[in-house]
């Protein structure tokens, strides 16, 4: 009994291992501090509801949206766009990253245009996408892809470049085909960089989805924000923003969770 207890204490105090209960309590404490400061400020300053409603009014609006069913259809619509755009961005960005890394011709031809495309403000490009693809799903997906593929392309390029020349020489000596070498050496070796890119891409996918809905859609959480803003329903606007933040944190957390499970071989930082 004492040996087991001692072992448990030692394991839970190993550097790099985070106690999940402690992390949860810390997150709850931060939320309570923000809500408390928000509540006190609204009450003491007598802020009008149309400028900044109190937390309980926003909660009531959120409950009303949920019970009326207005929240769920818009929420699922936004999540669908984020997932499809995120997965498509991973595939497209990884493919472009591999092509640019492996081919000098592709690098010289495509890289300048890609950089110029990323430098252009997306809020200015969005109306052009609406003009080209219409108000439907095509323009929304195009905008999400424009935001998500770039970090994955850079991550794939960095990951492939991080593989040492000795490993590449060993692959040639073993007579590996290009596909086998990519599947067994390059892809696993690039995983740390790819997950770093995915963490950025999931946030960019969320940003692109809401921006597209804000401009083009008649559905989604971005549409709820527009509806709340245009009707001066500030509680609805803030409720939609809060749900947006929750989605972003959830998506980022899922990417981190998958990273920890697939990269368990890495030593804790």
């Amino acid at each position: 009994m004492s040996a087991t207890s001692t072992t448990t204490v030692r394991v839970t105090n190993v550097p790099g291992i985070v106690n999940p209960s402690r992390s949860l309590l810390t997150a709850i404490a931060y939320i309570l501090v923000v809500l408390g400061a928000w509540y006190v400020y609204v009450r003491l300053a007598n802020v009008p509801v149309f400028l900044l409603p109190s937390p309980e009014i926003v909660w009531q609006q959120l409950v009303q949206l949920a019970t009326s069913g207005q929240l769920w259809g818009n929420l699922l619509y936004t999540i669908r766009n984020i997932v499809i755009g995120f997965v498509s961005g991973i595939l497209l960005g990884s493919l472009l990253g591999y092509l640019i890394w492996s081919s000098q011709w592709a690098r010289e031809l495509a890289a300048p245009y890609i950089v110029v495309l990323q430098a252009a403000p997306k809020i200015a490009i969005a109306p052009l996408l609406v003009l080209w693809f219409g108000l439907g799903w095509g323009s929304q997906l195009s905008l999400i892809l424009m935001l998500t593929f770039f970090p994955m392309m850079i991550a794939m390029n960095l990951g492939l470049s991080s593989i040492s020349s000795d490993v590449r020489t060993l692959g040639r000596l073993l007579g590996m085909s290009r596909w086998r070498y990519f599947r067994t050496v390059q892809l696993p070796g690039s995983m740390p960089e790819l997950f770093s890119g995915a963490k950025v891409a999931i946030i960019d996918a969320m940003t692109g989805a809401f921006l597209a809905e804000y401009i083009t859609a008649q559905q989604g959480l971005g549409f709820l924000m527009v509806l709340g803003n245009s009707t001066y329903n500030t509680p609805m606007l803030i409720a939609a923003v809060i749900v947006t933040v929750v989605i972003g944190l959830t998506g980022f957390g899922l990417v981190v969770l998958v990273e920890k499970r697939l990269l368990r071989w890495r030593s804790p930082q």
Side-chain angles (χ1 to χ4, degrees), residues 13-222:
N13 286 280
V14 172
I17 297 181
V18 180
N19 189 333
S21 300
R22 183 176 180 181
S23 299
L24 180 60
L25 291 175
T26 302
I28 293 175
Y30 278 122
I31 294 174
L32 291 177
V33 168
V34 172
L35 290 176
W38 178 5
Y39 180 84
V40 170
Y41 171 72
V42 169
R43 291 299 183 188
L44 293 181
N46 291 321
V47 181
V49 175
F50 68 90
L51 287 180
L52 181 62
S54 62
E56 68 267 23
I57 295 178
V58 175
W59 173 254
Q60 291 169 7
Q61 179 65 56
L62 185 59
V63 171
Q64 180 182 346
L65 290 173
T67 54
S68 66
Q70 189 176 6
L71 174 64
W72 306 116
N74 291 294
L75 177 62
L76 292 177
Y77 181 84
T78 297
I79 291 177
R80 184 202 67 175
N81 290 348
I82 291 175
V83 171
I84 295 177
F86 176 62
V87 173
S88 302
I90 287 178
L91 297 177
L92 178 62
S94 299
L95 177 60
L96 286 175
Y98 181 83
L99 290 176
I100 290 176
W101 176 84
S102 61
S103 171
Q104 183 178 358
W105 176 82
R107 184 163 55 250
E108 293 177 353
L109 179 65
Y113 296 101
I114 293 175
V115 173
V116 170
L117 180 64
Q118 288 302 304
K122 302 306 179 291
I123 190 67
I125 294 178
L128 289 176
L129 297 177
V130 174
L131 181 64
W132 295 336
F133 300 104
L135 290 172
W137 189 68
S139 60
Q140 298 174 40
L141 180 60
S142 300
L143 182 58
I144 298 173
L145 281 176
M146 289 179 61
L147 290 170
T148 54
F149 88 91
F150 189 73
M152 294 306 303
M153 182 191 73
I154 298 298
M156 175 61 83
N157 204 328
L158 291 175
L160 294 174
S161 300
S162 67
I163 299 175
S164 67
S165 58
D166 293 338
V167 175
R168 293 195 291 269
T169 301
L170 179 60
R172 287 194 295 268
L173 292 176
L174 294 176
M176 290 185 177
S177 64
R178 176 173 293 187
W179 166 245
R180 184 182 177 189
Y181 179 67
F182 174 77
R183 180 172 54 87
T184 59
V185 177
Q186 289 179 309
L187 185 59
S190 302
M191 277 298 173
E193 288 79 10
L194 288 176
F195 273 108
S196 297
K199 293 174 187 177
V200 178
I202 186 63
I203 301 299
D204 286 345
M206 183 190 71
T207 303
F210 293 123
L211 178 60
E213 293 168 4
Y214 202 90
I215 296 175
T216 67
Q218 299 298 314
Q219 194 174 2
L221 293 177

